[in-house]
Amino acid sequence: MKPKLNFLTQFLVLLVLLLVISFGLHILVLSAKALPVFDNLIVRSYVVNGLLAAIIFVLLYKFRQKLKNQIGFLFMGGSLLKFAFFFLLFYPTYKSDGDMSGLEFAAFFIPYAVALFLETFYTSRMLKNLEETAKK
């Protein structure tokens, strides 16, 4: 019988796993369509989105008891932070030719969406667990 991972470790393992799988699929689709595979800052996008999701969720988890009534606002603040990183690290390169292509958008948005979905799901579970613990 294998030991069950704690909540935070589950999130981090699943985040890495989902991002690696989506990166692999993303690269596979680009390759199958004979498109440039490692253009559009794709590697940076997956790494930055993964790191930001991990940092934001770890902080939410760490402060879940102390700031349980503000978790939603902190979660939204994390999204604002991700947008700031997008505009600092990606947008200038994407707009350097005057246009953001669909490939550039996908290179950023796919890992962003994967990470956001998982963050939302686990933050919701964390809040539900806090609520159930408070009732006991």
Side-chain angles (χ1 to χ4, degrees):
M1 183 175 193
K2 70 181 185 182
K4 185 176 178 184
L5 298 174
N6 76 25
F7 189 74
L8 184 57
T9 305
Q10 281 179 22
F11 171 80
L12 294 171
V13 168
L14 197 52
L15 177 67
V16 169
L17 185 64
L18 287 177
L19 286 174
V20 166
I21 290 169
S22 66
F23 180 74
L25 290 172
H26 197 152
I27 295 300
L28 188 67
V29 168
L30 291 172
S31 180
K33 292 184 174 230
L35 294 167
V37 176
F38 292 106
D39 281 2
N40 305 314
L41 307 175
I42 192 169
V43 173
R44 180 189 298 178
S45 181
Y46 275 86
V47 170
V48 168
N49 275 295
L51 285 174
L52 286 173
I55 290 167
I56 291 165
F57 189 78
V58 166
L59 290 172
L60 290 175
Y61 186 78
K62 181 177 179 173
F63 294 109
R64 71 190 184 283
Q65 295 291 346
K66 187 185 284 188
L67 301 172
K68 63 183 166 193
N69 294 327
Q70 287 83 27
I71 293 291
F73 293 111
L74 295 172
F75 181 84
M76 291 187 327
S79 292
L80 181 64
L81 181 68
K82 287 181 186 179
F83 278 112
F85 270 83
F86 169 76
F87 283 107
L88 290 171
L89 298 176
F90 299 96
Y91 192 72
T93 302
Y94 291 164
K95 287 296 274 186
S96 65
D97 61 357
D99 184 39
M100 186 180 336
S101 73
L103 292 175
E104 290 169 329
F105 178 76
F108 180 81
F109 187 74
I110 291 171
Y112 173 81
V114 168
L116 181 62
F117 170 78
L118 194 64
E119 278 180 283
T120 303
F121 179 76
Y122 267 80
T123 300
S124 172
R125 281 186 52 200
M126 181 175 62
L127 288 171
K128 185 177 178 183
N129 291 344
L130 282 172
E131 187 179 300
E132 288 172 358
T133 303
K135 289 180 181 178
K136 291 181 181 179

